[in-house]
Amino acid sequence: MKPVPIPFKAHLLPLFFTLFALPTASAAVIYQHNFSGSPGNTLNGVALDTANGTLGGTAGATWLANSDRYFADGTITSTASSASTYVPFAPVSGYEYTITLNVDITSASSTNWVALSLFNGTPNTNGAFNTVSTTYASIGRRHSTGGGSSGTDLLRWQGPSNGGTNLHIDEPKTGIWNISILLNTTNPANWTFQWLMQADDTEHLTGSYNLGTTTISHIMISNTVNVSADLSGFSVTAVPEPGLTLLSSLGTGLLAFRRARRG
């Protein structure tokens, strides 16, 4: 008995590609900034290179910064006072956010640091994150007296303020470090976060910590007294919950199937 040939229908090819191609979620860029302004000009009021009004971002967002310490070229100057800078950020449920900053501690005294934090409330540019009770998931670089050179420690605080986890990682690699807060909002009842610290081939990734349903209004960069640093490579990106991407792809596939049948 001869096998019955299956008729080839070219118009169904797009359906097969749609249904069987694995969905890949592309990261949406919410903020991006390279700190390429002129030396000596304040960072305060400078527009971010990219600022989208989606997924918690604000279109046309500008830096709210301490004018004595934060400058448009990314430098933080050393003075005898703490300071900070902010950008608005109100994350929404259903996404995996990556908040990243490159930090290079150029000089410091004692155990002073530069930190990246999540923040809620009214910004105050005249203080560091540990002076405010509504900062969370802070991660930073500091001068280490034990190591005897600038920027040999990595810091992380669970929060609020500097409460919870307060861990100093002895890290001998100096120079530029990429520090990131990985914020996961896919569970609306309990947002979580991790910290990622990278420099060349060295990487430190933490476990996951609970944030609950804490409200976030800003991203905060802050520093203690008598520390100088160079900032670069600030970015905030988001990818949707993997399940949402799959459902979207399946929906697209079903539409294609219906069109193919009608054809």
Side-chain angles (χ1 to χ4, degrees):
M1 180 177 181
K2 294 183 179 181
V4 178
I6 299 175
F8 176 75
K9 296 186 178 181
H11 66 283
L12 290 179
L13 282 176
L15 170 62
F16 288 103
F17 285 114
T18 301
L19 288 176
F20 294 104
L22 291 175
T24 301
S26 58
V29 178
I30 301 170
Y31 290 136
Q32 191 276 326
H33 195 74
N34 289 325
F35 299 97
S36 56
S38 300
N41 289 350
T42 180
L43 180 64
N44 188 47
V46 172
L48 278 77
D49 298 337
T50 299
N52 292 315
T54 59
L55 305 181
T58 297
T62 60
W63 291 97
L64 176 63
N66 182 293
S67 296
D68 295 327
R69 300 205 63 180
Y70 286 83
F71 294 89
D73 63 347
T75 56
I76 302 175
T77 60
S78 177
T79 69
S81 63
S82 299
S84 55
T85 181
Y86 302 80
V87 65
F89 177 58
V92 297
S93 292
Y95 291 85
E96 296 175 354
Y97 291 90
T98 300
I99 304 159
T100 292
L101 178 69
N102 292 333
V103 178
D104 184 10
I105 303 292
T106 53
S107 68
S109 61
S110 185
T111 55
N112 297 313
W113 41 256
V114 174
L116 175 69
S117 308
L118 301 176
F119 172 84
N120 183 48
T122 302
N124 175 12
T125 62
N126 296 318
F129 86 90
N130 59 324
T131 64
V132 184
S133 63
T134 53
T135 53
Y136 308 90
S138 299
I139 178 176
R141 290 280 289 143
R142 78 164 183 178
H143 170 82
S144 171
T145 54
S149 60
S150 296
T152 57
D153 278 357
L154 295 166
L155 312 177
R156 57 193 191 190
W157 298 269
Q158 184 177 348
S161 186
N162 61 348
T165 297
N166 187 347
L167 178 61
H168 297 181
I169 301 174
D170 185 13
E171 173 53 66
K173 185 183 288 292
T174 58
I176 299 173
W177 273 84
N178 176 279
I179 58 177
S180 300
I181 301 170
L182 310 180
L183 175 63
N184 188 326
T185 69
T186 56
N187 179 359
N190 182 33
W191 293 359
T192 62
F193 65 88
Q194 293 176 275
W195 294 292
L196 177 63
M197 299 154 276
Q198 298 172 300
D200 300 324
D201 58 347
T202 303
E203 178 178 292
H204 300 275
L205 175 64
T206 72
S208 181
Y209 294 89
N210 294 332
L211 192 61
T213 56
T214 299
T215 300
I216 303 300
S217 64
H218 293 79
I219 295 166
M220 179 186 193
I221 302 169
S222 63
N223 59 278
T224 49
V225 302
N226 301 325
V227 59
S228 299
D230 290 330
L231 307 179
S232 60
F234 173 77
S235 68
V236 180
T237 60
V239 295
E241 181 181 358
L244 294 178
T245 304
L246 178 60
L247 287 174
S248 176
S249 296
L250 288 175
T252 303
L254 288 173
L255 287 175
F257 178 72
R258 290 173 180 174
R259 295 191 189 103
R261 291 191 64 184
R262 285 199 299 267

